[in-house]
């Protein structure tokens, strides 16, 4: 196929160009593969020679060294130096001091104390009194005063001797102005005067007669 025909048949030109390129590629691959195989073979041969080669011999000793001298004198014998007498260091004298302590203080003597006489408890004078909770000392409410609804406070004064007996009684304040109130006053005075009293004592604790004020409250339950 010449150039003129290829120009006349333009459809066949690209096909021939592709074939030429493929042939060049194959040729280049063959060349590269052959060269790579040769390089590998050379490297293997070099490594085998390096492994099988014997180590190099040691260098020979120098030949110009002088022979060792003969008839040398023996080494000198070691003689120790003579001992030197060194005087021992002086011993420092030991000084012992005794502290001057003051004499111990005498133990205090405990003087026996004289027994203290008991102090008499002072006695407070008190008047006579009676047990207001004793049922015998509670006056009865007069029926007339109950019907009238009378209430109030009866104030009385009793004189009690040293034995606890009432010697006199009087009303110092009435419970009210009516007749029923007077009934209340008389009932309170007569009942309390008959009630037993505890006698009073003086400042020395002796029984004595006293005056006892009493107030009785009247109230309806």
């Amino acid at each position: 196929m010449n150039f003129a025909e290829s120009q006349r048949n333009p459809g066949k030109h690209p096909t021939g160009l592709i074939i030429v390129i493929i042939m060049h590629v194959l040729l280049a691959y063959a060349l590269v593969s052959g060269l790579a195989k040769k390089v590998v073979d050379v490297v293997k041969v070099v490594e085998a020679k390096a492994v099988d080669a014997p180590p190099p011999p040691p260098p020979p000793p120098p030949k110009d060294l002088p022979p060792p001298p003969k008839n040398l004198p023996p080494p000198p014998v070691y003689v120790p130096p003579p001992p030197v007498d060194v005087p021992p260091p002086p011993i420092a004298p030991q000084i012992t001091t005794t502290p001057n302590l003051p004499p111990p203080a005498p133990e205090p003597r405990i003087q026996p104390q004289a027994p203290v006489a008991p102090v008499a408890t002072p006695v407070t004078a008190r008047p006579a009194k009676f047990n207001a909770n004793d049922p015998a000392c509670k006056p009865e409410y007069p029926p007339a005063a109950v019907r009238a609804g009378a209430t109030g406070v009866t104030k009385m004064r009793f004189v009690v001797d040293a034995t606890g007996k009432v010697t006199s009684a009087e009303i110092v304040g009435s419970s009210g102005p009516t007749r029923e109130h007077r009934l209340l006053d008389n009932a309170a005075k007569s009942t309390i005067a008959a009630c037993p009293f505890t006698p009073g004592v003086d400042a020395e604790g002796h029984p004595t007669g006293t005056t006892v004020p009493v107030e009785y409250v009247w109230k309806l339950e």
Side-chain angles (χ1 to χ4, degrees):
M1 180 183 297
N2 55 21
F3 181 75
E5 292 179 355
S6 65
Q7 291 296 328
R8 287 192 299 267
N9 297 319
K12 296 181 180 181
H13 180 70
T15 302
L17 181 60
I18 291 172
I19 293 172
V20 172
I21 293 173
I22 290 173
M23 291 178 65
H24 281 81
V25 169
L26 293 176
L27 180 61
Y29 175 75
L31 292 175
V32 171
S33 298
L35 290 175
K37 184 177 181 181
K38 289 182 180 181
V39 170
V40 171
D41 294 339
V42 172
V43 170
K44 287 182 178 180
V45 171
V46 172
E47 288 180 354
K49 290 182 179 181
V51 171
D52 298 336
K63 298 180 179 181
D64 298 336
L65 293 177
K70 298 180 179 181
N71 299 328
L72 293 177
V77 178
Y78 174 74
V79 178
V84 178
D85 295 334
V86 179
I91 301 174
Q94 297 182 358
I95 301 174
T96 305
T97 58
T98 302
N100 295 325
L101 299 177
E107 296 181 359
R109 296 181 179 179
I110 300 175
Q111 298 292 338
Q113 296 181 357
V116 180
V119 179
T121 303
V123 179
T124 303
R126 58 176 175 79
K129 61 181 180 179
F130 72 101
N131 186 6
N133 295 324
D134 190 348
C137 299
K138 185 177 181 181
E140 292 185 3
Y141 224 111
V146 174
R147 291 191 297 268
T151 59
V153 178
T154 301
K155 297 179 180 181
M156 299 161 287
R157 182 168 55 229
F158 298 90
V159 178
V160 183
D161 61 10
T163 63
K165 182 179 179 181
V166 177
T167 58
S168 67
E170 61 176 334
I171 298 172
V172 296
S174 178
S175 59
T178 64
R179 182 178 65 87
E180 288 79 9
H181 287 100
R182 287 193 295 272
L183 293 174
L184 295 177
D185 297 338
N186 292 329
K189 183 179 71 171
S190 60
T191 302
I192 295 175
C195 183
F197 277 74
T198 301
V201 295
D202 57 11
E204 296 179 358
H206 302 297
T208 183
T210 57
T211 301
V212 183
V214 177
E215 294 182 356
Y216 190 83
V217 180
W218 295 95
K219 61 181 179 179
L220 294 171
E221 299 296 336

